Amino acid sequence: MSTARLGAGPNPKRAVPVILFLFVFSLIIDNGFKFASKSIGDDLGLSASTVSLQATLAGVIIGIGAVVYAALADAVSMRKLLVAAVGLISVGSLVGYAGRASFEWVLTGRIIQTTGLAAAETLYVIYVTKYLPREDQKTYLGFSTAAFQSSLLLGAIASGFIATYVHWTVFFLVPLLCLLALPGVLRTVPVHEATANHVDVFGLFLIATVATGIMLYLQAFDWWWLIPVLVALPLFVWHVRHNPRAIVDPSFFAEPRYPSMLAVVFVLYSAQLAYLFMFPFLVGDLYGLPESDASLLLAPGYLCAVLVGILSGRIARVLDSAAAITLAIGMIVVALVGPAIAPEAGTWIFVVSFTLFGSGFALLYAPLVSTAIRDIPPAKSGVAIGFYNLTINIAIPLGIAATAALMDAKPSFLSWATGATTEQGVRYANVLWIIALAAVLALLVYRVAHAALARRDAALGRTEDPAEIAPTA
């Protein structure tokens, strides 16, 4: 991304509070709708896998949109992009609310809405890195990590209370509050000279085809949905190898470190919001809790996650990357295994579980991305981080889709590994065990890759060289 020049206008720091508001607000809305899935499904008579589409398709749009808006930020005025984002959020929300009796219209509204949310979520980080002095960037970018963790909690609490005490459809009206930011955007966001840029539309289309095909297959296990996946995958490999302006540089895969870490990322992050998606179903069925009470159980955990994110710099002075990654994944595994063994022990076990779960992910991001890009030249690190984040944003909706399909399948083959005594308890314990085993797989992949890479580095005379940590969530 080229550096844009500011034209005549206000101090760029004046726009930070406005763009940060849109950034946090968009995260709250997106995560809130994921948490509201149970209420939407109950009201419209939908299965977990069907209602998960409003979360999973939105997740794919967030991932693809992040790459598209990052490229457009050089070619189009950021002020125009933010105004367009607010417009899309508002139009999508009105469409969803007007068609609230039909899941097809709800899904359409969510897709339009999320197209705008993707811009607001992406443009804050881009604005800070493009327009603020380098000495101030770390301070302002640090807000993004804390904002991501806090938005998980605030989104769950907001949607939980609205769904319980008003109605889930009213949550479609909450995003209209973003209209209040428009005067601030027009007044404070500076004008800049646009420069030409390139968006790998075909590569993004192929990624979206693969992700959407797999999600729709998981919804109904209809093998026809795998046909576009089988076509798009080899096309994407061919495209990356033969197009010098593809979304990812094929040289990134010449060294084993980057693809190894991408494998860890893909498996592990598929569990991140899958657990959050399942949680209101779980505590509602096992403990009869409304979503408002379910959301409060998350509060201690995500508050701890925010603190871990804020203190991640200090933690990095004590733990090297390998130790931090191993500890973080271990916390995530324990967080899932505990309630899998004793899902009916009481709600306290889920409070402890989410404290470990959220804190583990907060600790994980920085050292894992630092490790992934260690062998990549600094000039290409931005593209590498972009594809790394895209992998996360594709893994999350796929994890939600797989979890929803498991919930509908009601597995019981791991009933011997849980102390649950009810049919519902056994079902949720099995799903938790499967997610936990995925996290264990990620830990094994990381440890094997780390050992192999350490032996190779020793043979080549390389020493540990921590890279600059990328600031995002």
Side-chain angles (χ1 to χ4, degrees):
M1 186 181 295
S2 60
T3 302
R5 284 179 17 215
L6 292 176
N11 182 341
K13 287 185 181 180
R14 291 183 57 204
V16 170
V18 178
I19 304 176
L20 181 61
F21 164 76
L22 287 172
F23 172 74
V24 176
F25 187 73
S26 297
L27 286 168
I28 290 172
I29 296 302
D30 186 47
N31 290 316
F33 270 104
K34 289 183 175 71
F35 195 78
S37 295
K38 183 179 187 299
S39 290
I40 298 172
D42 290 345
D43 193 37
L44 299 180
L46 306 172
S47 67
S49 55
T50 299
V51 76
S52 71
L53 284 174
Q54 66 88 20
T56 55
L57 289 179
V60 173
I61 292 171
I62 291 289
I64 301 295
V67 179
V68 173
Y69 283 115
L72 288 177
D74 273 347
V76 181
S77 166
M78 189 166 292
R79 181 185 292 181
K80 292 181 180 178
L81 289 177
L82 287 169
V83 170
V86 171
L88 287 167
I89 293 169
S90 302
V91 170
S93 299
L94 290 173
V95 169
Y97 184 76
R100 57 192 178 276
S102 165
F103 183 64
E104 287 76 13
W105 280 107
V106 168
L107 189 60
T108 300
R110 280 284 287 135
I111 290 172
I112 297 171
Q113 178 196 74
T114 306
T115 306
L117 295 175
E121 290 185 23
T122 302
L123 293 177
Y124 173 75
V125 173
I126 294 172
Y127 183 85
V128 170
T129 56
K130 283 170 69 71
Y131 298 135
L132 297 192
R134 185 173 295 275
E135 62 270 16
D136 293 330
Q137 289 182 11
K138 287 187 178 180
T139 299
Y140 288 102
L141 288 169
F143 296 155
S144 67
T145 301
F148 179 79
Q149 295 296 335
S150 60
S151 72
L152 293 172
L153 173 61
L154 295 174
I157 290 177
S159 67
F161 272 78
I162 289 174
T164 301
Y165 297 111
V166 189
H167 198 265
W168 68 266
T169 55
V170 176
F171 200 61
F172 263 122
L173 300 179
V174 175
L176 297 179
L177 292 173
C178 70
L179 290 168
L180 298 175
L182 271 181
V185 170
L186 297 174
R187 188 175 63 253
T188 64
V189 177
V191 180
H192 74 276
E193 295 180 9
T195 57
N197 207 347
H198 169 75
V199 180
D200 181 15
V201 176
F202 186 57
L204 290 170
F205 169 75
L206 294 175
I207 292 173
T209 300
V210 172
T212 305
I214 293 174
M215 284 188 301
L216 293 175
Y217 166 74
L218 290 172
Q219 183 193 2
F221 292 99
D222 188 338
W223 291 98
W224 288 104
W225 288 115
L226 292 183
I227 293 177
V229 175
L230 295 175
V231 172
L233 268 177
L235 269 178
F236 180 73
V237 174
W238 173 85
H239 174 69
V240 168
R241 295 179 65 139
H242 292 86
N243 188 341
R245 304 182 77 182
I247 187 173
V248 62
D249 192 321
S251 66
F252 294 169
F253 299 92
E255 290 281 349
R257 196 181 309 274
Y258 186 74
S260 298
M261 295 307 107
L262 283 185
V264 174
V265 163
F266 186 82
V267 175
L268 198 58
Y269 276 88
S270 65
Q272 187 182 36
L273 293 187
Y275 191 13
L276 182 68
F277 170 84
M278 181 176 67
F279 189 66
F281 293 89
L282 188 158
V283 296
D285 289 344
L286 295 188
Y287 297 98
L289 294 182
E291 286 175 75
S292 57
D293 292 348
S295 65
L296 292 177
L297 295 177
L298 304 175
Y302 283 113
L303 288 175
C304 286
V306 171
L307 290 175
V308 171
I310 293 172
L311 297 173
S312 58
R314 295 186 180 182
I315 295 172
R317 298 191 193 109
V318 179
L319 299 176
D320 61 23
S321 292
I325 293 170
T326 302
L327 175 61
I329 302 178
M331 291 167 66
I332 294 166
V333 171
V334 173
L336 293 165
V337 168
I341 293 174
E344 297 165 353
T347 55
W348 65 268
I349 198 167
F350 294 101
V351 174
V352 175
S353 173
F354 266 97
T355 299
L356 291 171
F357 192 76
S359 299
F361 274 104
L363 176 62
L364 178 71
Y365 182 87
L368 191 55
V369 71
S370 176
T371 301
I373 66 172
R374 179 182 159 189
D375 295 335
I376 293 173
K380 296 183 177 181
S381 62
V383 177
I385 293 170
F387 190 75
Y388 178 99
N389 287 335
L390 178 61
T391 301
I392 291 176
N393 284 309
I394 296 300
I396 286 173
L398 288 178
I400 293 174
T403 300
L406 285 170
M407 290 165 60
D408 287 339
K410 301 179 180 179
S412 59
F413 62 94
L414 291 171
S415 57
W416 55 270
T418 178
T421 57
T422 64
E423 180 182 348
Q424 289 179 328
V426 170
R427 168 165 57 109
Y428 285 113
N430 271 257
V431 178
L432 283 167
W433 267 117
I434 293 170
I435 300 175
L437 290 173
V440 170
L441 175 62
L443 179 59
L444 291 175
V445 170
Y446 173 73
R447 293 307 305 176
V448 170
H450 174 70
L453 291 167
R455 287 194 297 269
R456 188 199 65 165
D457 289 347
L460 295 174
R462 296 179 181 175
T463 57
E464 189 69 24
D465 182 23
E468 180 76 13
I469 293 174
T472 185

